[in-house]
Amino acid sequence: MSTLLYRLGKTAFRKPGYFIIGWVLILGVVISMISINGIHISSEMKIEGTESQKVLDQLAKELPAASGGQGSVVFKAPDNERLDTPERLAAMMKAVNEVYGLKDVINPADYAAEASSSGAFADMAQAANMQQSATASPPPYGPLMVDGVPVPGVLLSSDGKVALFQFQFTIEQSAITQDVFDSVIDSVMSAQQGTNITVLPGETLKTVAIGVGSAEIIGLIIAVIVLLITLGSVVAAGLPLVTALLGVAIGVGGAFSISKFIEMPSVTSVLALMVGLAVGIDYALFIVNRQRRMIIDQRLSAQEATARAIGTSGSAVFFAGLTVIIALCGMLVIGLTFLSTMALVAAATVLINVFVALTLLPALLGLVGERICSTKAREKSTKHPKAAGHGIAHRWVKFVIKYRWITIIVIVVLLGAAATPITKMEMGIPGASSANLDTTARQGYDAISEGFGEGFNGPLILVAEPINSSAQVTPELLGNVMKELQSQNNVAQVTPLGMTEDLAIFSLIPGTGPNDKITKDLVNELRSTESSVAKTNDVKIGVTGFTAVNIDMSAKLAQVFPIYVGIITLLSLIILLLVFRSIIVPIKATIGFLLSILATFGITTAVFQWGWLHSLFGFDTGGPLLSFMPIIVTGILYGLAMDYQVFLVSSMRESYVHGHRGPESVVHGYNQVSRVVVAAAVIMVSVFAGFIFTDDVMIKQIGFTLAVGILIDAFIIRMGLVPAIMAIFGDKAWSLPKWLDRILPNLDVEGEKLIATLHAKDHSNSKS
């Protein structure tokens, strides 16, 4: 492996033009494809196989009109005033009629006429009467009345302060363009003119925006500063940034270029950008740092130092990248399309960055040549060679080894305490209820809760089917099911949406909010075949809607999470076994990671769910953690943690292979790479932390968790726990059973065979 990469590095250094032109052509192809196909992203996240998704698929097949996207708008009167004044009623009526006049919005008048003529749905007037009779007591709201006629789709609170306008699109939510949303928003905003009405469009009336903000740019600036300090040269510091940006441009751009043909979740590009930038900069940093060290310490030419750096550090980069890719691709076993897409795009971006580091980077180093190290740096090394035993890193590792058992105990106790909030972790989809107080989404949520009840923020869609396949749905059955539904605990309102011969559709408003545990219990009760609704009417109830999808997503991901962790752990253990030819090292690496990931999720729970330090991180209210965040973060952090494991421990093994024994090999290996590992960790934290201050709470949570995870893993586990444990085991850490030693291939990650071959060649040349 090392020999192959050595030759590749030397070829790229000698003939940089071929490699540079090749990568530029690839980038050109990606840009051309984007210009032809455009960028298409979706906020939809389907959870295949769940009860809620089955109901949605059924509605899309049998009643397409009932499966379209939904929109909502809140009209709010000024303080101590009402909405039902003549001027405000006229303004709201005009706005509502304009929305119903748009081509992609269902007009209830046309809808009812079509339903009546086709006979496909029950008569809405009859259904409304059933609903009134099913309600034990009048609710604290009612339809908005204009000249004695109810306005379709609009409810008015009993105090007249808040009106809720709910409507439906003719197409799926993911297919609605921003132009349609803009038309809706322009129509409803007209109600503000001269009326002092506050109009709050719902959070569903917008498409997903992508882009890089100032916070992310600040993260890159910090990365540049760290590169300058670590490498001591503007040219050397610029190379990792250039290669990382190119790798991300090709990886993320390539995903965008095919987004016309493959549904691309909105989080996908941001995830790939996070991971791609972090690993791209880190991989190039390790190689450039190794090359400069060989030039300064071993007096090698830039060409030979580049080839050897690619042969040695390049091997570590290859296997480190492989662990990240395996961890990401492990998400494929979960069987969720949106997660698989995110995983594949991020994994492809990492793979591209590995290839860029092994091919484009040595080509760029070939262009730079000997200028990669200034004359001042070479002279400084000659006049003031670094003596062994000096420096913060050396003193730290000696301290850790001296107090190894105390170090291990302190770290375990500290991380164990940090992990305790994980026992209270709640999963879900962060939404308007946890949005910042100054956002229209949060203001609309609060206004709805105040005027109608929190359940109106998360209506459920119910489908009732007769258990007997030969039975038909009748208006009588529709009314009986409604009565039974209305009598259930925690049900505020039930409204019929229509029926066919085979099924009846209802909208059910829970008495509690979307993220409340009682709402989850209601969904599970309604789905049960033993529920009073199902048994009394001989029907099967299906439940969907945003709240139900959220519940199903959390349950599905919790079910597959242990399987996912088991698979990536097993595969990564095999890779680490091959790389280090050790049983102890892979097991130690896995235990250290488990400690760090538990502590990471504990801290994330305390911050984003409990609201600790919320003002520091730019949010006002705690809420549930993103349901698919643990799987995404675990995969990424496992891969990145193994990166540091490979770079740090491979240096210790290299010291062992080259004659250092016991704690001496730990100290020597630690001294060689600790500075660059710390720099790499700071860069990763800076890149991830830049995403904490975005407006999107999902991206905010992912960025925070990754930043905290890297901090813990790099600075506590790898810089503290690893040398302490390695010192305890000493040379036994590298032992293998003889039978296993014979079976395993020698990948020569440390470049032992390569260095031996080069030394033999140098010796032969010196004789001749």
Side-chain angles (χ1 to χ4, degrees):
M1 183 74 185
S2 296
T3 303
L4 176 64
L5 291 177
Y6 171 83
R7 293 171 181 168
L8 177 63
K10 180 168 285 190
T11 302
F13 190 97
R14 287 176 173 174
K15 302 177 180 179
Y18 293 104
F19 292 88
I20 294 172
I21 291 173
W23 282 108
V24 171
L25 288 176
I26 294 173
L27 180 62
V29 170
V30 168
I31 294 173
S32 299
M33 290 179 65
I34 291 176
S35 63
I36 295 171
N37 298 325
I39 297 176
H40 307 268
I41 59 174
S42 169
S43 58
E44 188 175 31
M45 293 178 288
K46 291 184 178 180
I47 309 296
E48 297 85 351
T50 59
E51 290 299 318
S52 55
Q53 189 60 49
K54 289 177 182 177
V55 175
L56 285 174
D57 294 340
Q58 181 183 20
L59 289 174
K61 181 180 179 181
E62 299 188 26
L63 295 169
S67 62
Q70 295 179 325
S72 66
V73 177
V74 174
F75 299 102
K76 190 175 181 182
D79 292 342
N80 302 319
E81 296 186 33
R82 296 178 63 92
L83 286 172
D84 49 359
T85 64
E87 297 81 7
R88 289 171 182 157
L89 286 175
M92 288 188 292
M93 187 66 182
K94 177 177 178 293
V96 169
N97 286 335
E98 284 184 12
V99 173
Y100 283 146
L102 299 174
K103 66 174 183 176
D104 293 314
V105 177
I106 292 177
N107 188 327
D110 298 338
Y111 185 70
E114 181 182 347
S116 177
S117 63
S118 65
F121 298 96
D123 181 80
M124 289 295 106
Q126 179 182 359
N129 291 332
M130 294 177 187
Q131 197 273 335
Q132 290 293 335
S133 64
T135 304
S137 58
Y141 49 81
L144 179 69
M145 307 295 290
V146 177
D147 297 330
V149 179
V151 180
V154 185
L155 291 175
L156 181 68
S157 63
S158 57
D159 59 10
K161 294 181 179 180
V162 182
L164 173 61
F165 174 32
Q166 296 174 311
F167 53 93
Q168 192 164 2
F169 294 98
T170 59
I171 52 180
E172 293 183 5
Q173 191 78 28
S174 59
I176 305 173
T177 63
Q178 186 62 51
D179 290 340
V180 175
F181 289 140
D182 289 342
S183 299
V184 172
I185 293 173
D186 289 342
S187 298
V188 296
M189 284 298 180
S190 64
Q192 295 184 138
Q193 298 175 4
T195 63
N196 291 326
I197 294 175
T198 300
V199 180
L200 304 170
E203 60 180 338
T204 58
L205 296 180
K206 62 179 181 179
T207 55
V208 180
I210 56 174
V212 178
S214 58
E216 293 90 322
I217 294 174
I218 291 173
L220 285 178
I221 293 173
I222 295 174
V224 171
I225 294 172
V226 174
L227 288 170
L228 283 170
I229 294 173
T230 305
L231 299 176
S233 162
V234 174
V235 174
L239 292 179
L241 197 61
V242 169
T243 54
L245 290 173
L246 180 70
V248 166
I250 294 174
V252 178
F256 283 151
S257 70
I258 60 174
S259 60
K260 181 179 180 180
F261 312 103
I262 299 174
E263 189 171 284
M264 197 69 60
S266 56
V267 185
T268 300
S269 59
V270 182
L271 181 65
L273 180 64
M274 281 186 194
V275 180
L277 276 177
V279 301
I281 294 174
D282 279 6
Y283 293 166
L285 169 61
F286 278 105
I287 292 173
V288 173
N289 181 71
R290 185 65 174 264
Q291 184 231 27
R292 284 169 50 85
R293 226 174 62 208
M294 288 180 175
I295 292 174
I296 294 174
D297 297 343
Q298 301 178 27
R299 305 296 187 268
L300 296 177
S301 66
Q303 175 179 301
E304 183 62 22
T306 300
R308 293 192 183 191
I310 295 295
T312 52
S313 292
S315 296
V317 164
F318 178 83
F319 286 105
L322 190 58
T323 58
V324 179
I325 292 168
I326 286 176
L328 289 168
C329 289
M331 295 184 200
L332 301 180
V333 303
I334 298 171
L336 301 180
T337 302
F338 81 94
L339 271 183
S340 297
T341 303
M342 284 191 282
L344 288 173
V345 172
T349 305
V350 172
L351 182 62
I352 290 168
N353 271 292
V354 170
F355 288 151
V356 166
L358 298 180
T359 58
L360 179 63
L361 180 59
L364 293 175
L365 289 170
L367 287 182
V368 175
E370 299 296 338
R371 290 172 296 165
I372 193 68
C373 283
S374 65
T375 304
K376 183 179 179 181
R378 297 170 195 256
E379 291 175 351
K380 182 179 179 181
S381 174
T382 303
K383 294 178 180 178
H384 306 284
K386 293 180 180 178
H390 293 277
I392 297 175
H394 181 83
R395 291 194 294 272
W396 169 254
V397 73
K398 294 287 285 186
F399 173 84
V400 167
I401 290 175
K402 181 178 180 181
Y403 300 102
R404 63 195 76 169
W405 285 108
I406 295 176
T407 300
I408 293 172
I409 293 171
V410 169
I411 289 175
V412 170
V413 171
L414 179 66
L415 297 185
T420 52
I422 202 172
T423 59
K424 304 293 184 181
M425 186 168 64
E426 296 177 4
M427 309 307 298
I429 300 294
S433 62
S434 56
N436 282 347
L437 297 174
D438 60 351
T439 62
T440 57
R442 176 59 183 273
Q443 292 168 3
Y445 184 96
D446 291 342
I448 291 173
S449 300
E450 179 184 349
F452 307 98
E454 200 169 0
F456 271 84
N457 288 291
L460 302 173
I461 304 298
L462 274 58
V463 172
E465 297 179 86
I467 295 176
N468 188 345
S469 59
S470 61
Q472 292 185 348
V473 175
T474 63
E476 182 181 4
L477 177 62
L478 183 73
N480 291 336
V481 172
M482 283 183 55
K483 280 186 177 182
E484 195 66 39
L485 288 171
Q486 193 71 58
S487 67
Q488 301 298 302
N489 292 330
N490 197 39
V491 174
Q493 175 183 297
V494 182
T495 305
L497 298 181
M499 74 178 197
T500 68
E501 293 181 350
D502 302 319
L503 53 83
I505 311 172
F506 307 90
S507 171
L508 185 148
I509 306 297
T512 49
N515 295 318
D516 199 299
K517 184 181 182 300
I518 302 176
T519 305
K520 178 181 178 181
D521 294 339
L522 173 64
V523 171
N524 293 332
E525 172 64 22
L526 292 172
R527 285 173 172 169
S528 172
T529 56
E530 299 299 317
S531 69
S532 60
V533 180
K535 295 179 72 173
T536 303
N537 299 283
D538 291 326
V539 294
K540 179 178 69 174
I541 302 293
V543 185
T544 189
F546 178 82
T547 301
V549 169
N550 184 8
I551 292 170
D552 289 347
M553 180 186 293
S554 299
K556 173 77 172 179
L557 295 174
Q559 179 184 1
V560 300
F561 185 66
I563 301 172
Y564 167 67
V565 172
I567 289 174
I568 66 169
T569 301
L570 178 62
L571 292 176
S572 294
L573 282 174
I574 294 173
I575 289 182
L576 293 175
L577 177 65
L578 293 172
V579 171
F580 295 115
R581 302 181 66 79
S582 164
I583 294 177
I584 293 174
V585 170
I587 294 175
K588 170 193 61 64
T590 303
I591 293 174
F593 171 73
L594 291 176
L595 282 172
S596 66
I597 198 68
L598 290 174
T600 297
F601 286 143
I603 294 172
T604 303
T605 300
V607 171
F608 283 96
Q609 185 176 307
W610 297 354
W612 290 10
L613 303 175
H614 62 89
S615 58
L616 177 63
F617 298 109
F619 66 97
D620 297 328
T621 307
L625 301 186
L626 184 61
S627 55
F628 57 85
M629 187 265 289
I631 285 183
I632 290 177
V633 167
T634 298
I636 295 173
L637 284 182
Y638 192 89
L640 298 180
M642 295 308 106
D643 276 5
Y644 297 129
Q645 177 74 10
V646 169
F647 291 125
L648 182 61
V649 181
S650 64
S651 179
M652 294 177 183
R653 177 167 173 79
E654 184 178 352
S655 297
Y656 170 79
V657 168
H658 293 160
H660 298 278
R661 291 294 179 264
E664 184 186 352
S665 65
V666 176
V667 173
H668 185 267
Y670 187 95
N671 287 339
Q672 293 297 309
V673 297
S674 60
R675 184 168 181 262
V676 74
V677 167
V678 168
V682 172
I683 289 171
M684 275 203 183
V685 171
S686 301
V687 172
F688 292 144
F691 292 87
I692 296 175
F693 302 98
T694 59
D695 294 329
D696 191 313
V697 69
M698 293 191 292
I699 303 302
K700 185 187 291 285
Q701 286 188 7
I702 294 175
F704 175 87
T705 311
L706 288 173
V708 171
I710 294 297
L711 271 174
I712 293 174
D713 195 271
F715 291 98
I716 298 180
I717 300 298
R718 308 304 153 191
M719 296 289 104
L721 190 65
V722 167
I725 294 178
M726 293 296 290
I728 289 174
F729 285 101
D731 294 345
K732 294 179 181 179
W734 312 114
S735 61
L736 268 180
K738 291 184 179 179
W739 63 270
L740 186 58
D741 187 43
R742 290 193 299 268
I743 296 173
L744 293 180
N746 190 345
L747 300 177
D748 191 27
V749 175
E750 300 82 17
E752 180 185 6
K753 293 181 180 178
L754 171 64
I755 299 301
T757 302
L758 293 174
H759 283 171
K761 183 178 178 181
D762 293 340
H763 183 68
S764 175
N765 291 337
S766 63
K767 281 187 174 182
S768 61

